[in-house]
Amino acid sequence: MKSIAKALREKYPEDQLYLLAAKRNSGSFTYDGIERGGERVCLEIEEELENIRNKGGKITKLSIVGYSLGGLVARYAIGLLEMRGVLREVEPMNLTTFASPHLGVRTPLRGWHNHIWNVLGARTLSKSGRQLFTIDNYRGTGRPLLAVLADPESIFIAGLKRFKRRTLYANAVNDRSAVYYTTCISKTDPFVNPSRIKPNYIKGYEDVVLDPLNPVSPVTPKQSNMTIAELTTNSVSYLRNAPLVLALAVFIPIVVVAFLFNSAVQTFRSSRRIRLHESGLAGIQIEHYRLPIWIKDIRGTVEDVYENLNTWQGESYLRASDDERDDGELNGAETEIIALERKKSHPQFPTLALAPAQFTMIDELDKVGWRKYPVWIHQVGHSHAAIIVRMDKPSHREGLVVFRHWLNEEFLI
């Protein structure tokens, strides 16, 4: 986030824009769950506003920026700020997220691939990981936290609606941490096969920021026969890569074991921090942030989370079969959602095999309104960090184009 703060400061002086870089969720504290991260950020904002008031100053407008998981933490914090009345004391301006997995990190898969990756894999992770795979039960609601974050009757959507502008930037390709469909809140992924599309860039931000209304145009693939020379070249290439494939066969099991070991360690450490947090010994009085999350309850009426492992999975699409029921795991309402989305699917860009809750999240978040910008990073094989210029090196410089677009075209002051 240092690069984001730097870009903001270069654009706006201190007397025009006050910057607060949240510190309580640094390091491995992101393992502790989105709601605890949101509570920490909310407290940090409230403390800073109070400190400024005590010094005779006053903040009149509020903008929030989140990168990766921080975008979800920001959305949770916004709900708490709404609940505690902070968003009625200041004017909410911008909410911006960069490469944030709004729909979680569940890979669109079917069958046994789904059970291995999205079910078993998710259970090796900490609290944040379970929430990102949408296998958690948020406060006994029987629903995952991300679904509650998108509930139109929740404080989280009420808080979102107060912001004048909600903007997201999503990597179109090569983001091995958070893929396009989740960071762009989309039911399709037109960038699966880049050779079959022509990107349409925004004038002045060419080769990086795509037109949100018409990001790509289809390209008819050319039919060609492979020559003997091409066949020979490809064969030599495969032979040259054979040692690498063999090395990966040995190395990958070691990495998986190390990943599982690290997950266990971080989960243990996270559990200890969570116990301190829940007991009030971590510096936060949680009772201030555990009030009802539903708007109707607040009004007094009574009515009814790796990165490289993710890239190994190819995306699946909804099949045409009308009697498909995901191995009988869906209830009636969920089956209706899938059936409806299947009918909407288009052959050119077919609908991904998302979970019913994810389709509902997309619909509800789209109702709130987002300005969505796909970003095409070319100079690095893993674009997740490059979108915010996380490191000062040439391969991340394309992220500066993203910042320039954001500050010139989107950020309201």
Side-chain angles (χ1 to χ4, degrees):
M1 297 295 287
K2 290 181 180 179
S3 56
I4 295 176
K6 180 182 177 182
L8 284 166
R9 181 54 69 226
E10 289 176 350
K11 180 78 172 180
Y12 301 105
E14 291 185 19
D15 60 353
Q16 192 174 6
L17 183 68
Y18 183 88
L19 296 179
L20 168 65
K23 302 177 181 66
R24 280 191 167 93
N25 287 318
S26 60
S28 59
F29 277 60
T30 55
Y31 281 83
D32 299 348
I34 293 166
E35 76 274 28
R36 291 170 188 84
E39 289 167 2
R40 291 169 184 152
V41 169
C42 183
L43 174 62
E44 205 162 341
I45 291 173
E46 288 183 296
E47 288 178 342
E48 197 71 16
L49 291 174
E50 182 65 24
N51 288 337
I52 292 171
R53 282 194 294 266
N54 291 339
K55 294 177 181 178
K58 185 179 181 181
I59 298 295
T60 59
K61 299 178 180 180
L62 177 68
S63 293
I64 297 179
V65 183
Y67 162 64
S68 194
L69 181 64
L72 297 177
V73 171
R75 284 175 51 199
Y76 195 97
I78 285 170
L80 298 182
L81 292 170
E82 165 71 12
M83 177 186 71
R84 294 178 60 75
V86 176
L87 298 186
R88 290 185 288 276
E89 298 172 358
V90 296
E91 184 180 7
M93 297 296 290
N94 308 277
L95 168 64
T96 308
T97 66
F98 294 92
S100 293
H102 292 283
L103 308 178
V105 297
R106 177 190 178 278
T107 302
L109 296 172
R110 310 196 73 81
W112 65 271
H113 296 90
N114 169 65
H115 287 280
I116 290 178
W117 172 245
N118 292 323
V119 180
L120 295 180
R123 283 167 170 76
T124 67
L125 302 177
S126 63
K127 186 70 173 179
S128 294
R130 295 174 68 86
Q131 291 171 343
L132 288 172
F133 275 94
T134 63
I135 62 169
D136 63 305
N137 180 2
Y138 178 66
R139 291 199 199 170
T141 60
R143 303 167 64 193
L145 180 144
L146 295 187
V148 175
L149 276 180
D151 191 298
E153 299 297 331
S154 72
I155 57 174
F156 307 110
I157 290 295
L160 270 185
K161 288 180 177 178
R162 288 189 181 272
F163 283 79
K164 285 191 173 181
R165 184 162 290 183
R166 294 160 295 276
T167 306
L168 65 79
Y169 290 88
N171 281 312
V173 297
N174 297 331
D175 194 325
R176 300 201 294 263
S177 296
V179 295
Y180 173 80
Y181 88 86
T182 183
T183 56
C184 206
I185 313 178
S186 175
K187 297 177 183 179
T188 63
D189 185 352
F191 304 97
V192 171
N193 192 337
S195 65
R196 295 186 179 181
I197 58 171
K198 173 186 172 294
N200 301 318
Y201 297 103
I202 297 176
K203 185 177 181 181
Y205 306 96
E206 284 86 357
D207 293 338
V208 178
V209 184
L210 292 103
D211 182 350
L213 300 179
N214 183 31
V216 299
S217 300
V219 174
T220 304
K222 296 180 179 180
Q223 299 275 338
S224 62
N225 296 321
M226 185 175 289
T227 64
I228 295 177
E230 290 173 329
L231 183 61
T232 303
T233 300
N234 288 341
S235 300
V236 171
S237 176
Y238 286 131
L239 289 174
R240 286 176 177 173
N241 288 331
L244 176 60
V245 173
L246 181 61
L248 287 175
V250 176
F251 182 66
I252 287 174
I254 298 174
V255 172
V256 170
V257 171
F259 165 76
L260 294 174
F261 177 76
N262 180 65
S263 297
V265 171
Q266 293 297 347
T267 299
F268 174 73
R269 291 176 177 174
S270 176
S271 298
R272 289 196 301 177
R273 287 195 301 270
I274 290 173
R275 285 196 296 270
L276 290 173
H277 185 97
E278 296 298 313
S279 62
L281 299 177
I284 298 179
Q285 295 177 291
I286 62 170
E287 64 273 12
H288 293 169
Y289 302 96
R290 296 295 171 87
L291 297 176
I293 60 174
W294 309 112
I295 293 297
K296 294 180 180 179
D297 289 338
I298 293 174
R299 292 173 180 170
T301 63
V302 180
E303 290 188 28
D304 308 323
V305 134
Y306 8 95
E307 209 165 276
N308 293 325
L309 290 177
N310 201 26
T311 62
W312 297 354
Q313 307 295 338
E315 293 177 334
S316 296
Y317 304 97
L318 292 180
R319 296 195 293 264
S321 173
D322 287 333
D323 59 357
E324 178 189 357
R325 294 183 59 90
D326 266 343
D327 301 326
E329 293 182 356
L330 302 183
N331 59 36
E334 291 172 332
T335 301
E336 289 182 10
I337 292 173
I338 296 298
L340 179 60
E341 295 300 336
R342 185 183 294 113
K343 291 177 181 178
K344 296 178 182 177
S345 184
H346 191 278
Q348 184 177 330
F349 299 124
T351 301
L352 296 168
L354 304 178
Q358 290 177 307
F359 285 122
T360 301
M361 288 182 223
I362 295 171
D363 291 340
E364 297 301 337
L365 289 172
D366 280 348
K367 289 176 184 176
V368 176
W370 289 81
R371 299 163 72 92
K372 304 176 181 180
Y373 291 96
V375 172
W376 198 313
I377 301 291
H378 301 268
Q379 297 177 8
V380 66
H382 185 10
S383 56
H384 191 68
I387 195 173
I388 63 158
V389 199
R390 196 167 183 177
M391 289 172 277
D392 185 15
K393 58 182 184 178
S395 60
H396 282 203
R397 294 293 169 83
E398 288 173 311
L400 295 176
V401 180
V402 178
F403 284 169
R404 182 161 56 85
H405 178 271
W406 173 48
L407 295 174
N408 291 345
E409 312 294 340
E410 286 297 310
F411 193 79
L412 302 175
I413 190 76

mmCIF file of all heavy atoms in Angstrom, residues 326-367:
data_model
loop_
_atom_site.group_PDB
_atom_site.id
_atom_site.type_symbol
_atom_site.label_atom_id
_atom_site.label_comp_id
_atom_site.label_asym_id
_atom_site.label_seq_id
_atom_site.Cartn_x
_atom_site.Cartn_y
_atom_site.Cartn_z
ATOM 1 N N ASP A 326 -25.402 -30.893 -9.639
ATOM 2 C CA ASP A 326 -24.156 -30.878 -8.869
ATOM 3 C C ASP A 326 -24.101 -32.025 -7.870
ATOM 4 O O ASP A 326 -23.909 -31.823 -6.670
ATOM 5 C CB ASP A 326 -24.000 -29.555 -8.121
ATOM 6 C CG ASP A 326 -23.177 -28.550 -8.894
ATOM 7 O OD1 ASP A 326 -22.479 -28.962 -9.822
ATOM 8 O OD2 ASP A 326 -23.237 -27.361 -8.553
ATOM 9 N N ASP A 327 -24.293 -33.239 -8.392
ATOM 10 C CA ASP A 327 -24.226 -34.434 -7.549
ATOM 11 C C ASP A 327 -25.257 -34.414 -6.430
ATOM 12 O O ASP A 327 -25.065 -34.981 -5.358
ATOM 13 C CB ASP A 327 -22.822 -34.595 -6.950
ATOM 14 C CG ASP A 327 -21.760 -34.704 -8.027
ATOM 15 O OD1 ASP A 327 -22.070 -35.284 -9.084
ATOM 16 O OD2 ASP A 327 -20.643 -34.208 -7.807
ATOM 17 N N GLY A 328 -26.390 -33.711 -6.635
ATOM 18 C CA GLY A 328 -27.452 -33.705 -5.644
ATOM 19 C C GLY A 328 -27.178 -32.851 -4.430
ATOM 20 O O GLY A 328 -27.898 -32.937 -3.444
ATOM 21 N N GLU A 329 -26.173 -31.981 -4.472
ATOM 22 C CA GLU A 329 -25.818 -31.193 -3.295
ATOM 23 C C GLU A 329 -26.610 -29.895 -3.199
ATOM 24 O O GLU A 329 -26.590 -29.241 -2.169
ATOM 25 C CB GLU A 329 -24.317 -30.871 -3.314
ATOM 26 C CG GLU A 329 -23.443 -32.108 -3.142
ATOM 27 C CD GLU A 329 -21.968 -31.742 -3.125
ATOM 28 O OE1 GLU A 329 -21.649 -30.554 -3.314
ATOM 29 O OE2 GLU A 329 -21.152 -32.651 -2.925
ATOM 30 N N LEU A 330 -27.291 -29.470 -4.257
ATOM 31 C CA LEU A 330 -28.013 -28.206 -4.247
ATOM 32 C C LEU A 330 -29.444 -28.391 -3.778
ATOM 33 O O LEU A 330 -30.090 -29.397 -4.077
ATOM 34 C CB LEU A 330 -28.014 -27.601 -5.654
ATOM 35 C CG LEU A 330 -26.659 -27.333 -6.309
ATOM 36 C CD1 LEU A 330 -26.865 -26.657 -7.657
ATOM 37 C CD2 LEU A 330 -25.770 -26.492 -5.408
ATOM 38 N N ASN A 331 -29.943 -27.387 -3.040
ATOM 39 C CA ASN A 331 -31.351 -27.417 -2.676
ATOM 40 C C ASN A 331 -32.174 -26.820 -3.817
ATOM 41 O O ASN A 331 -31.640 -26.418 -4.854
ATOM 42 C CB ASN A 331 -31.589 -26.656 -1.359
ATOM 43 C CG ASN A 331 -31.165 -25.196 -1.444
ATOM 44 O OD1 ASN A 331 -31.317 -24.549 -2.485
ATOM 45 N ND2 ASN A 331 -30.637 -24.663 -0.348
ATOM 46 N N GLY A 332 -33.483 -26.729 -3.624
ATOM 47 C CA GLY A 332 -34.352 -26.281 -4.701
ATOM 48 C C GLY A 332 -34.048 -24.881 -5.180
ATOM 49 O O GLY A 332 -33.982 -24.618 -6.387
ATOM 50 N N ALA A 333 -33.851 -23.937 -4.242
ATOM 51 C CA ALA A 333 -33.578 -22.548 -4.615
ATOM 52 C C ALA A 333 -32.258 -22.423 -5.359
ATOM 53 O O ALA A 333 -32.155 -21.687 -6.353
ATOM 54 C CB ALA A 333 -33.564 -21.668 -3.363
ATOM 55 N N GLU A 334 -31.260 -23.168 -4.901
ATOM 56 C CA GLU A 334 -29.956 -23.119 -5.552
ATOM 57 C C GLU A 334 -30.016 -23.716 -6.957
ATOM 58 O O GLU A 334 -29.375 -23.213 -7.887
ATOM 59 C CB GLU A 334 -28.928 -23.855 -4.695
ATOM 60 C CG GLU A 334 -28.613 -23.144 -3.383
ATOM 61 C CD GLU A 334 -27.750 -23.985 -2.469
ATOM 62 O OE1 GLU A 334 -27.815 -25.231 -2.556
ATOM 63 O OE2 GLU A 334 -27.012 -23.397 -1.649
ATOM 64 N N THR A 335 -30.796 -24.773 -7.109
ATOM 65 C CA THR A 335 -30.955 -25.388 -8.429
ATOM 66 C C THR A 335 -31.614 -24.417 -9.402
ATOM 67 O O THR A 335 -31.242 -24.344 -10.579
ATOM 68 C CB THR A 335 -31.803 -26.671 -8.316
ATOM 69 O OG1 THR A 335 -31.152 -27.585 -7.426
ATOM 70 C CG2 THR A 335 -31.963 -27.337 -9.670
ATOM 71 N N GLU A 336 -32.578 -23.635 -8.910
ATOM 72 C CA GLU A 336 -33.241 -22.644 -9.762
ATOM 73 C C GLU A 336 -32.261 -21.563 -10.208
ATOM 74 O O GLU A 336 -32.302 -21.101 -11.347
ATOM 75 C CB GLU A 336 -34.419 -22.016 -9.006
ATOM 76 C CG GLU A 336 -35.599 -22.956 -8.817
ATOM 77 C CD GLU A 336 -36.756 -22.274 -8.101
ATOM 78 O OE1 GLU A 336 -36.690 -21.031 -7.933
ATOM 79 O OE2 GLU A 336 -37.703 -22.968 -7.706
ATOM 80 N N ILE A 337 -31.377 -21.151 -9.293
ATOM 81 C CA ILE A 337 -30.372 -20.130 -9.635
ATOM 82 C C ILE A 337 -29.470 -20.638 -10.749
ATOM 83 O O ILE A 337 -29.209 -19.948 -11.739
ATOM 84 C CB ILE A 337 -29.537 -19.749 -8.397
ATOM 85 C CG1 ILE A 337 -30.404 -19.004 -7.382
ATOM 86 C CG2 ILE A 337 -28.322 -18.905 -8.789
ATOM 87 C CD1 ILE A 337 -29.712 -18.727 -6.060
ATOM 88 N N ILE A 338 -28.984 -21.873 -10.607
ATOM 89 C CA ILE A 338 -28.095 -22.456 -11.614
ATOM 90 C C ILE A 338 -28.818 -22.608 -12.951
ATOM 91 O O ILE A 338 -28.256 -22.328 -14.017
ATOM 92 C CB ILE A 338 -27.555 -23.822 -11.136
ATOM 93 C CG1 ILE A 338 -26.672 -23.642 -9.886
ATOM 94 C CG2 ILE A 338 -26.767 -24.510 -12.242
ATOM 95 C CD1 ILE A 338 -25.443 -22.798 -10.114
ATOM 96 N N ALA A 339 -30.075 -23.047 -12.901
ATOM 97 C CA ALA A 339 -30.848 -23.225 -14.138
ATOM 98 C C ALA A 339 -31.019 -21.894 -14.868
ATOM 99 O O ALA A 339 -30.905 -21.815 -16.097
ATOM 100 C CB ALA A 339 -32.208 -23.833 -13.817
ATOM 101 N N LEU A 340 -31.279 -20.829 -14.109
ATOM 102 C CA LEU A 340 -31.452 -19.511 -14.710
ATOM 103 C C LEU A 340 -30.149 -19.015 -15.324
ATOM 104 O O LEU A 340 -30.132 -18.494 -16.445
ATOM 105 C CB LEU A 340 -31.944 -18.516 -13.658
ATOM 106 C CG LEU A 340 -32.143 -17.066 -14.136
ATOM 107 C CD1 LEU A 340 -33.182 -17.011 -15.253
ATOM 108 C CD2 LEU A 340 -32.565 -16.181 -12.963
ATOM 109 N N GLU A 341 -29.041 -19.189 -14.603
ATOM 110 C CA GLU A 341 -27.747 -18.737 -15.125
ATOM 111 C C GLU A 341 -27.338 -19.551 -16.349
ATOM 112 O O GLU A 341 -26.701 -19.029 -17.260
ATOM 113 C CB GLU A 341 -26.673 -18.843 -14.039
ATOM 114 C CG GLU A 341 -26.895 -17.931 -12.845
ATOM 115 C CD GLU A 341 -26.932 -16.462 -13.225
ATOM 116 O OE1 GLU A 341 -26.356 -16.099 -14.272
ATOM 117 O OE2 GLU A 341 -27.535 -15.677 -12.478
ATOM 118 N N ARG A 342 -27.708 -20.817 -16.375
ATOM 119 C CA ARG A 342 -27.392 -21.661 -17.527
ATOM 120 C C ARG A 342 -28.099 -21.134 -18.780
ATOM 121 O O ARG A 342 -27.534 -21.113 -19.874
ATOM 122 C CB ARG A 342 -27.807 -23.102 -17.245
ATOM 123 C CG ARG A 342 -27.413 -24.082 -18.339
ATOM 124 C CD ARG A 342 -27.906 -25.482 -18.044
ATOM 125 N NE ARG A 342 -27.262 -26.033 -16.875
ATOM 126 C CZ ARG A 342 -27.886 -26.299 -15.725
ATOM 127 N NH1 ARG A 342 -29.176 -26.046 -15.600
ATOM 128 N NH2 ARG A 342 -27.229 -26.811 -14.710
ATOM 129 N N LYS A 343 -29.335 -20.685 -18.615
ATOM 130 C CA LYS A 343 -30.089 -20.160 -19.750
ATOM 131 C C LYS A 343 -29.484 -18.857 -20.265
ATOM 132 O O LYS A 343 -29.567 -18.541 -21.447
ATOM 133 C CB LYS A 343 -31.547 -19.930 -19.343
ATOM 134 C CG LYS A 343 -32.328 -21.222 -19.085
ATOM 135 C CD LYS A 343 -33.746 -20.921 -18.623
ATOM 136 C CE LYS A 343 -34.507 -22.206 -18.343
ATOM 137 N NZ LYS A 343 -35.885 -21.926 -17.833
ATOM 138 N N LYS A 344 -28.863 -18.078 -19.369
ATOM 139 C CA LYS A 344 -28.276 -16.796 -19.760
ATOM 140 C C LYS A 344 -26.913 -16.962 -20.425
ATOM 141 O O LYS A 344 -26.409 -16.036 -21.052
ATOM 142 C CB LYS A 344 -28.112 -15.895 -18.530
ATOM 143 C CG LYS A 344 -29.402 -15.480 -17.860
ATOM 144 C CD LYS A 344 -29.089 -14.635 -16.628
ATOM 145 C CE LYS A 344 -30.335 -14.227 -15.883
ATOM 146 N NZ LYS A 344 -30.002 -13.459 -14.649
ATOM 147 N N SER A 345 -26.314 -18.128 -20.282
ATOM 148 C CA SER A 345 -24.958 -18.352 -20.782
ATOM 149 C C SER A 345 -24.891 -18.195 -22.297
ATOM 150 O O SER A 345 -25.794 -18.611 -23.021
ATOM 151 C CB SER A 345 -24.477 -19.747 -20.383
ATOM 152 O OG SER A 345 -23.134 -19.949 -20.769
ATOM 153 N N HIS A 346 -23.793 -17.582 -22.778
ATOM 154 C CA HIS A 346 -23.604 -17.353 -24.207
ATOM 155 C C HIS A 346 -22.406 -18.170 -24.688
ATOM 156 O O HIS A 346 -21.370 -18.210 -24.017
ATOM 157 C CB HIS A 346 -23.360 -15.867 -24.476
ATOM 158 C CG HIS A 346 -23.407 -15.500 -25.921
ATOM 159 N ND1 HIS A 346 -22.339 -15.667 -26.774
ATOM 160 C CD2 HIS A 346 -24.411 -14.978 -26.684
ATOM 161 C CE1 HIS A 346 -22.665 -15.265 -27.979
ATOM 162 N NE2 HIS A 346 -23.917 -14.838 -27.967
ATOM 163 N N PRO A 347 -22.503 -18.808 -25.849
ATOM 164 C CA PRO A 347 -21.406 -19.662 -26.335
ATOM 165 C C PRO A 347 -20.072 -18.929 -26.471
ATOM 166 O O PRO A 347 -19.013 -19.514 -26.270
ATOM 167 C CB PRO A 347 -21.913 -20.145 -27.703
ATOM 168 C CG PRO A 347 -23.399 -20.015 -27.633
ATOM 169 C CD PRO A 347 -23.668 -18.841 -26.756
ATOM 170 N N GLN A 348 -20.130 -17.653 -26.826
ATOM 171 C CA GLN A 348 -18.883 -16.903 -27.037
ATOM 172 C C GLN A 348 -18.099 -16.752 -25.743
ATOM 173 O O GLN A 348 -16.901 -17.004 -25.683
ATOM 174 C CB GLN A 348 -19.204 -15.525 -27.616
ATOM 175 C CG GLN A 348 -17.963 -14.714 -27.945
ATOM 176 C CD GLN A 348 -18.312 -13.379 -28.574
ATOM 177 O OE1 GLN A 348 -19.323 -13.249 -29.242
ATOM 178 N NE2 GLN A 348 -17.484 -12.386 -28.335
ATOM 179 N N PHE A 349 -18.796 -16.329 -24.682
ATOM 180 C CA PHE A 349 -18.188 -16.213 -23.356
ATOM 181 C C PHE A 349 -19.114 -16.928 -22.367
ATOM 182 O O PHE A 349 -19.950 -16.295 -21.721
ATOM 183 C CB PHE A 349 -17.997 -14.750 -22.949
ATOM 184 C CG PHE A 349 -17.100 -13.973 -23.873
ATOM 185 C CD1 PHE A 349 -17.546 -12.809 -24.473
ATOM 186 C CD2 PHE A 349 -15.813 -14.422 -24.141
ATOM 187 C CE1 PHE A 349 -16.721 -12.094 -25.328
ATOM 188 C CE2 PHE A 349 -14.983 -13.716 -25.006
ATOM 189 C CZ PHE A 349 -15.435 -12.552 -25.591
ATOM 190 N N PRO A 350 -19.003 -18.250 -22.246
ATOM 191 C CA PRO A 350 -19.932 -19.017 -21.417
ATOM 192 C C PRO A 350 -19.829 -18.678 -19.942
ATOM 193 O O PRO A 350 -18.792 -18.215 -19.462
ATOM 194 C CB PRO A 350 -19.510 -20.467 -21.681
ATOM 195 C CG PRO A 350 -18.096 -20.385 -22.137
ATOM 196 C CD PRO A 350 -17.977 -19.092 -22.882
ATOM 197 N N THR A 351 -20.925 -18.926 -19.241
ATOM 198 C CA THR A 351 -20.981 -18.652 -17.804
ATOM 199 C C THR A 351 -20.131 -19.649 -17.037
ATOM 200 O O THR A 351 -20.189 -20.852 -17.286
ATOM 201 C CB THR A 351 -22.438 -18.725 -17.308
ATOM 202 O OG1 THR A 351 -23.213 -17.760 -18.027
ATOM 203 C CG2 THR A 351 -22.521 -18.433 -15.821
ATOM 204 N N LEU A 352 -19.346 -19.148 -16.106
ATOM 205 C CA LEU A 352 -18.487 -19.999 -15.297
ATOM 206 C C LEU A 352 -19.302 -20.833 -14.313
ATOM 207 O O LEU A 352 -20.411 -20.447 -13.919
ATOM 208 C CB LEU A 352 -17.484 -19.141 -14.512
ATOM 209 C CG LEU A 352 -16.475 -18.354 -15.357
ATOM 210 C CD1 LEU A 352 -15.743 -17.341 -14.497
ATOM 211 C CD2 LEU A 352 -15.488 -19.296 -16.023
ATOM 212 N N ALA A 353 -18.735 -21.966 -13.895
ATOM 213 C CA ALA A 353 -19.426 -22.868 -12.965
ATOM 214 C C ALA A 353 -19.237 -22.375 -11.530
ATOM 215 O O ALA A 353 -18.604 -23.022 -10.699
ATOM 216 C CB ALA A 353 -18.891 -24.292 -13.122
ATOM 217 N N LEU A 354 -19.823 -21.222 -11.249
ATOM 218 C CA LEU A 354 -19.743 -20.647 -9.915
ATOM 219 C C LEU A 354 -20.774 -21.308 -9.000
ATOM 220 O O LEU A 354 -21.681 -21.998 -9.450
ATOM 221 C CB LEU A 354 -19.995 -19.139 -9.976
ATOM 222 C CG LEU A 354 -19.086 -18.336 -10.922
ATOM 223 C CD1 LEU A 354 -19.488 -16.866 -10.900
ATOM 224 C CD2 LEU A 354 -17.627 -18.501 -10.528
ATOM 225 N N ALA A 355 -20.624 -21.067 -7.715
ATOM 226 C CA ALA A 355 -21.595 -21.564 -6.745
ATOM 227 C C ALA A 355 -22.825 -20.657 -6.762
ATOM 228 O O ALA A 355 -22.720 -19.470 -7.109
ATOM 229 C CB ALA A 355 -20.976 -21.582 -5.350
ATOM 230 N N PRO A 356 -23.999 -21.176 -6.407
ATOM 231 C CA PRO A 356 -25.203 -20.334 -6.394
ATOM 232 C C PRO A 356 -25.030 -19.060 -5.578
ATOM 233 O O PRO A 356 -25.485 -17.990 -5.998
ATOM 234 C CB PRO A 356 -26.257 -21.262 -5.769
ATOM 235 C CG PRO A 356 -25.804 -22.639 -6.130
ATOM 236 C CD PRO A 356 -24.307 -22.586 -6.075
ATOM 237 N N ALA A 357 -24.349 -19.159 -4.423
ATOM 238 C CA ALA A 357 -24.138 -17.968 -3.587
ATOM 239 C C ALA A 357 -23.314 -16.919 -4.317
ATOM 240 O O ALA A 357 -23.536 -15.711 -4.145
ATOM 241 C CB ALA A 357 -23.447 -18.360 -2.283
ATOM 242 N N GLN A 358 -22.375 -17.362 -5.149
ATOM 243 C CA GLN A 358 -21.553 -16.413 -5.894
ATOM 244 C C GLN A 358 -22.368 -15.675 -6.956
ATOM 245 O O GLN A 358 -22.185 -14.471 -7.172
ATOM 246 C CB GLN A 358 -20.366 -17.131 -6.535
ATOM 247 C CG GLN A 358 -19.326 -17.599 -5.524
ATOM 248 C CD GLN A 358 -18.196 -18.372 -6.180
ATOM 249 O OE1 GLN A 358 -18.448 -19.335 -6.905
ATOM 250 N NE2 GLN A 358 -16.979 -17.966 -5.925
ATOM 251 N N PHE A 359 -23.272 -16.386 -7.626
ATOM 252 C CA PHE A 359 -24.153 -15.721 -8.597
ATOM 253 C C PHE A 359 -25.003 -14.659 -7.903
ATOM 254 O O PHE A 359 -25.202 -13.558 -8.431
ATOM 255 C CB PHE A 359 -25.057 -16.744 -9.292
ATOM 256 C CG PHE A 359 -24.354 -17.578 -10.323
ATOM 257 C CD1 PHE A 359 -24.331 -18.960 -10.228
ATOM 258 C CD2 PHE A 359 -23.716 -16.983 -11.400
ATOM 259 C CE1 PHE A 359 -23.688 -19.735 -11.175
ATOM 260 C CE2 PHE A 359 -23.067 -17.751 -12.367
ATOM 261 C CZ PHE A 359 -23.049 -19.131 -12.245
ATOM 262 N N THR A 360 -25.500 -14.988 -6.720
ATOM 263 C CA THR A 360 -26.315 -14.026 -5.966
ATOM 264 C C THR A 360 -25.474 -12.824 -5.549
ATOM 265 O O THR A 360 -25.943 -11.673 -5.618
ATOM 266 C CB THR A 360 -26.919 -14.700 -4.727
ATOM 267 O OG1 THR A 360 -27.719 -15.820 -5.139
ATOM 268 C CG2 THR A 360 -27.798 -13.733 -3.950
ATOM 269 N N MET A 361 -24.235 -13.062 -5.111
ATOM 270 C CA MET A 361 -23.344 -11.959 -4.748
ATOM 271 C C MET A 361 -23.166 -10.999 -5.909
ATOM 272 O O MET A 361 -23.221 -9.769 -5.745
ATOM 273 C CB MET A 361 -21.969 -12.502 -4.341
ATOM 274 C CG MET A 361 -21.892 -13.211 -3.019
ATOM 275 S SD MET A 361 -20.170 -13.724 -2.724
ATOM 276 C CE MET A 361 -20.415 -15.376 -2.099
ATOM 277 N N ILE A 362 -22.920 -11.551 -7.100
ATOM 278 C CA ILE A 362 -22.705 -10.715 -8.279
ATOM 279 C C ILE A 362 -23.920 -9.846 -8.548
ATOM 280 O O ILE A 362 -23.805 -8.630 -8.778
ATOM 281 C CB ILE A 362 -22.387 -11.591 -9.510
ATOM 282 C CG1 ILE A 362 -21.054 -12.320 -9.319
ATOM 283 C CG2 ILE A 362 -22.351 -10.748 -10.779
ATOM 284 C CD1 ILE A 362 -20.769 -13.370 -10.371
ATOM 285 N N ASP A 363 -25.104 -10.448 -8.526
ATOM 286 C CA ASP A 363 -26.330 -9.702 -8.807
ATOM 287 C C ASP A 363 -26.520 -8.562 -7.813
ATOM 288 O O ASP A 363 -26.855 -7.436 -8.197
ATOM 289 C CB ASP A 363 -27.538 -10.639 -8.773
ATOM 290 C CG ASP A 363 -27.557 -11.621 -9.945
ATOM 291 O OD1 ASP A 363 -26.885 -11.339 -10.960
ATOM 292 O OD2 ASP A 363 -28.224 -12.664 -9.833
ATOM 293 N N GLU A 364 -26.315 -8.838 -6.525
ATOM 294 C CA GLU A 364 -26.550 -7.819 -5.498
ATOM 295 C C GLU A 364 -25.491 -6.721 -5.530
ATOM 296 O O GLU A 364 -25.815 -5.539 -5.348
ATOM 297 C CB GLU A 364 -26.606 -8.469 -4.110
ATOM 298 C CG GLU A 364 -27.748 -9.464 -3.927
ATOM 299 C CD GLU A 364 -29.124 -8.845 -4.158
ATOM 300 O OE1 GLU A 364 -29.264 -7.609 -4.032
ATOM 301 O OE2 GLU A 364 -30.063 -9.593 -4.482
ATOM 302 N N LEU A 365 -24.240 -7.082 -5.756
ATOM 303 C CA LEU A 365 -23.189 -6.071 -5.833
ATOM 304 C C LEU A 365 -23.347 -5.207 -7.075
ATOM 305 O O LEU A 365 -23.076 -3.999 -7.047
ATOM 306 C CB LEU A 365 -21.811 -6.736 -5.807
ATOM 307 C CG LEU A 365 -21.405 -7.348 -4.469
ATOM 308 C CD1 LEU A 365 -20.114 -8.147 -4.612
ATOM 309 C CD2 LEU A 365 -21.238 -6.269 -3.407
ATOM 310 N N ASP A 366 -23.794 -5.818 -8.181
ATOM 311 C CA ASP A 366 -24.018 -5.035 -9.394
ATOM 312 C C ASP A 366 -25.161 -4.038 -9.218
ATOM 313 O O ASP A 366 -25.160 -2.965 -9.832
ATOM 314 C CB ASP A 366 -24.317 -5.963 -10.581
ATOM 315 C CG ASP A 366 -23.047 -6.573 -11.168
ATOM 316 O OD1 ASP A 366 -21.943 -6.117 -10.812
ATOM 317 O OD2 ASP A 366 -23.161 -7.516 -11.982
ATOM 318 N N LYS A 367 -26.138 -4.374 -8.397
ATOM 319 C CA LYS A 367 -27.246 -3.451 -8.138
ATOM 320 C C LYS A 367 -26.750 -2.184 -7.440
ATOM 321 O O LYS A 367 -27.297 -1.094 -7.657
ATOM 322 C CB LYS A 367 -28.322 -4.127 -7.282
ATOM 323 C CG LYS A 367 -29.117 -5.200 -8.009
ATOM 324 C CD LYS A 367 -30.096 -5.877 -7.062
ATOM 325 C CE LYS A 367 -30.828 -7.028 -7.755
ATOM 326 N NZ LYS A 367 -31.724 -7.765 -6.809
#
